[in-house]
Amino acid sequence: VTDDLSFEEYLVSSEWVAPADFEAQVKYIRDNGFTAITFEDLADLPQITKPVMLTFDGCWRDVYTIVYPLIQEYNTKITLFVWPDYLGEPGHLTEEQVKEMMASGLVSVNAGIEVYTPTDAIVQETLFERIDKPKEYVANLVGHDPLAFAYPVRGITAGAQEY
Protein backbone atom coordinates (compact mmCIF):
# COMPACT_ATOMS: atom_id res chain seq x y z
CA VAL A 1 0.00 0.00 0.00
CA THR A 2 1.36 3.39 -0.87
CA ASP A 3 0.61 6.72 0.76
CA ASP A 4 -1.09 7.83 -2.47
CA LEU A 5 -3.69 5.03 -2.58
CA SER A 6 -6.20 3.62 -0.13
CA PHE A 7 -5.95 -0.11 0.57
CA GLU A 8 -8.96 -0.81 -1.66
CA GLU A 9 -7.55 1.29 -4.51
CA TYR A 10 -4.20 -0.48 -4.18
CA LEU A 11 -5.78 -3.93 -4.42
CA VAL A 12 -7.89 -3.03 -7.42
CA SER A 13 -5.07 -1.27 -9.23
CA SER A 14 -2.31 -3.77 -8.60
CA GLU A 15 -3.67 -7.23 -7.91
CA TRP A 16 -7.28 -7.67 -8.90
CA VAL A 17 -8.92 -8.04 -12.28
CA ALA A 18 -12.54 -7.01 -12.75
CA PRO A 19 -14.84 -10.01 -13.46
CA ALA A 20 -15.74 -8.75 -16.95
CA ASP A 21 -12.05 -8.29 -17.78
CA PHE A 22 -11.23 -11.78 -16.50
CA GLU A 23 -14.01 -13.26 -18.61
CA ALA A 24 -12.69 -11.40 -21.66
CA GLN A 25 -9.20 -12.78 -20.96
CA VAL A 26 -10.46 -16.37 -20.60
CA LYS A 27 -12.50 -15.99 -23.79
CA TYR A 28 -9.43 -14.63 -25.58
CA ILE A 29 -7.38 -17.63 -24.43
CA ARG A 30 -10.01 -20.02 -25.75
CA ASP A 31 -10.72 -18.17 -29.00
CA ASN A 32 -7.04 -17.78 -29.90
CA GLY A 33 -5.94 -21.38 -29.55
CA PHE A 34 -4.23 -21.15 -26.18
CA THR A 35 -4.44 -24.08 -23.76
CA ALA A 36 -4.77 -23.31 -20.06
CA ILE A 37 -2.63 -25.79 -18.14
CA THR A 38 -1.73 -26.65 -14.56
CA PHE A 39 1.43 -28.08 -13.06
CA GLU A 40 0.01 -31.56 -13.62
CA ASP A 41 0.14 -30.89 -17.38
CA LEU A 42 3.83 -29.96 -17.53
CA ALA A 43 4.93 -33.50 -18.41
CA ASP A 44 2.92 -33.16 -21.65
CA LEU A 45 4.12 -29.66 -22.42
CA PRO A 46 5.75 -30.48 -25.80
CA GLN A 47 2.36 -31.67 -27.08
CA ILE A 48 0.38 -28.69 -25.78
CA THR A 49 -0.47 -25.86 -28.18
CA LYS A 50 0.18 -22.37 -26.86
CA PRO A 51 0.21 -23.21 -23.13
CA VAL A 52 -0.73 -20.58 -20.58
CA MET A 53 -1.08 -20.86 -16.82
CA LEU A 54 -3.67 -18.96 -14.78
CA THR A 55 -2.83 -18.80 -11.07
CA PHE A 56 -4.67 -17.49 -8.03
CA ASP A 57 -3.51 -17.16 -4.44
CA GLY A 58 -4.80 -15.96 -1.13
CA CYS A 59 -7.90 -18.19 -1.04
CA TRP A 60 -10.30 -15.33 -1.73
CA ARG A 61 -13.95 -16.39 -1.93
CA ASP A 62 -14.36 -14.75 -5.36
CA VAL A 63 -12.30 -17.58 -6.84
CA TYR A 64 -15.34 -19.75 -6.07
CA THR A 65 -18.12 -17.24 -6.76
CA ILE A 66 -16.69 -15.54 -9.88
CA VAL A 67 -13.71 -17.41 -11.30
CA TYR A 68 -15.01 -20.97 -10.89
CA PRO A 69 -18.27 -20.43 -12.84
CA LEU A 70 -16.31 -18.74 -15.64
CA ILE A 71 -13.72 -21.49 -15.96
CA GLN A 72 -16.53 -24.03 -16.02
CA GLU A 73 -18.27 -22.09 -18.80
CA TYR A 74 -15.06 -21.83 -20.86
CA ASN A 75 -13.62 -25.22 -19.79
CA THR A 76 -10.42 -23.53 -18.63
CA LYS A 77 -7.98 -24.78 -16.01
CA ILE A 78 -6.50 -22.72 -13.17
CA THR A 79 -4.01 -23.27 -10.38
CA LEU A 80 -4.98 -22.22 -6.86
CA PHE A 81 -2.30 -21.64 -4.24
CA VAL A 82 -3.83 -22.26 -0.81
CA TRP A 83 -2.87 -20.27 2.27
CA PRO A 84 -4.07 -22.57 5.10
CA ASP A 85 -4.46 -19.83 7.70
CA TYR A 86 -7.09 -18.13 5.53
CA LEU A 87 -9.38 -21.02 4.60
CA GLY A 88 -12.74 -20.59 6.33
CA GLU A 89 -12.05 -16.99 7.33
CA PRO A 90 -14.53 -14.26 6.31
CA GLY A 91 -14.17 -13.44 2.61
CA HIS A 92 -12.11 -16.54 1.93
CA LEU A 93 -12.71 -20.04 0.56
CA THR A 94 -13.79 -22.98 2.66
CA GLU A 95 -12.20 -26.42 2.47
CA GLU A 96 -15.44 -27.73 0.94
CA GLN A 97 -15.28 -25.14 -1.86
CA VAL A 98 -11.64 -26.00 -2.57
CA LYS A 99 -12.46 -29.72 -2.71
CA GLU A 100 -15.44 -29.10 -5.02
CA MET A 101 -13.35 -27.05 -7.42
CA MET A 102 -10.55 -29.60 -7.38
CA ALA A 103 -13.02 -32.44 -8.09
CA SER A 104 -14.08 -30.64 -11.28
CA GLY A 105 -10.68 -31.36 -12.86
CA LEU A 106 -10.32 -27.67 -13.72
CA VAL A 107 -8.57 -26.55 -10.53
CA SER A 108 -5.13 -27.67 -9.39
CA VAL A 109 -4.53 -27.00 -5.71
CA ASN A 110 -1.03 -26.22 -4.47
CA ALA A 111 0.57 -24.61 -1.43
CA GLY A 112 1.50 -21.03 -0.73
CA ILE A 113 2.38 -18.73 2.10
CA GLU A 114 1.80 -15.11 2.86
CA VAL A 115 4.96 -13.35 3.94
CA TYR A 116 5.06 -9.65 4.62
CA THR A 117 8.29 -9.84 6.59
CA PRO A 118 11.34 -9.35 4.38
CA THR A 119 12.96 -12.74 3.87
CA ASP A 120 16.33 -11.48 5.02
CA ALA A 121 14.69 -10.81 8.43
CA ILE A 122 13.32 -14.36 8.77
CA VAL A 123 15.56 -16.93 10.38
CA GLN A 124 15.92 -20.16 8.44
CA GLU A 125 14.00 -22.27 10.98
CA THR A 126 11.01 -19.91 10.85
CA LEU A 127 11.07 -19.86 7.06
CA PHE A 128 11.00 -23.67 6.90
CA GLU A 129 8.10 -23.72 9.37
CA ARG A 130 6.20 -21.30 7.14
CA ILE A 131 6.82 -23.56 4.16
CA ASP A 132 6.20 -26.93 5.85
CA LYS A 133 2.81 -26.02 7.35
CA PRO A 134 1.08 -25.19 4.03
CA LYS A 135 2.77 -28.10 2.27
CA GLU A 136 1.48 -30.60 4.85
CA TYR A 137 -1.95 -28.95 4.95
CA VAL A 138 -2.40 -29.11 1.18
CA ALA A 139 -1.14 -32.70 1.05
CA ASN A 140 -3.82 -33.68 3.58
CA LEU A 141 -6.48 -31.62 1.78
CA VAL A 142 -5.87 -32.94 -1.74
CA GLY A 143 -4.39 -36.35 -1.00
CA HIS A 144 -0.90 -35.81 -2.45
CA ASP A 145 2.09 -33.53 -2.04
CA PRO A 146 1.66 -30.21 -3.82
CA LEU A 147 3.49 -29.97 -7.13
CA ALA A 148 4.22 -26.27 -6.72
CA PHE A 149 4.68 -23.69 -4.01
CA ALA A 150 3.92 -19.97 -4.24
CA TYR A 151 6.24 -17.70 -2.37
CA PRO A 152 5.06 -14.09 -2.61
CA VAL A 153 7.42 -11.29 -3.47
CA ARG A 154 5.55 -8.51 -1.67
CA GLY A 155 7.72 -7.26 1.15
CA ILE A 156 10.79 -9.14 0.01
CA THR A 157 13.76 -6.84 -0.16
CA ALA A 158 16.89 -6.79 -2.24
CA GLY A 159 19.19 -4.46 -0.43
CA ALA A 160 17.32 -1.20 0.02
CA GLN A 161 15.14 -1.61 -3.07
CA GLU A 162 11.83 -3.40 -2.86
CA TYR A 163 10.78 -5.54 -5.81
Side-chain angles (χ1 to χ4, degrees):
V1 178
T2 70
D3 293 333
D4 300 333
L5 298 174
S6 70
F7 181 70
E8 291 79 14
E9 291 169 327
Y10 171 78
L11 288 176
V12 170
S13 69
S14 68
E15 296 180 1
W16 293 18
V17 175
D21 291 339
F22 178 71
E23 181 173 11
Q25 292 167 358
V26 172
K27 186 177 183 310
Y28 180 90
I29 288 168
R30 182 201 62 192
D31 293 350
N32 289 278
F34 289 90
T35 303
I37 65 169
T38 64
F39 287 94
E40 288 83 354
D41 300 317
L42 290 178
D44 300 322
L45 195 57
Q47 293 81 28
I48 298 173
T49 305
K50 297 168 82 173
V52 63
M53 197 175 276
L54 305 173
T55 64
F56 295 83
D57 65 359
C59 302
W60 296 102
R61 185 176 299 141
D62 60 3
V63 172
Y64 183 79
T65 60
I66 297 170
V67 173
Y68 185 51
L70 288 172
I71 66 170
Q72 289 176 307
E73 179 180 343
Y74 291 96
N75 195 32
T76 301
K77 293 180 180 180
I78 67 166
T79 296
L80 175 65
F81 290 100
V82 173
W83 297 355
D85 291 341
Y86 288 81
L87 286 177
E89 293 295 317
H92 292 82
L93 296 168
T94 65
E95 283 187 0
E96 294 75 24
Q97 291 168 329
V98 171
K99 289 178 181 180
E100 177 187 336
M101 291 188 297
M102 191 181 74
S104 74
L106 297 174
V107 179
S108 170
V109 178
N110 287 280
I113 60 172
E114 175 187 33
V115 176
Y116 292 105
T117 305
T119 53
D120 53 359
I122 301 173
V123 296
Q124 186 173 1
E125 294 79 20
T126 303
L127 186 58
F128 286 132
E129 287 173 16
R130 290 185 183 190
I131 292 170
D132 288 343
K133 179 182 176 183
K135 180 182 173 190
E136 290 172 15
Y137 184 91
V138 169
N140 289 328
L141 182 67
V142 303
H144 59 80
D145 283 339
L147 298 176
F149 191 86
Y151 190 87
V153 295
R154 180 191 300 150
I156 297 173
T157 60
Q161 183 175 351
E162 189 167 334
Y163 63 95

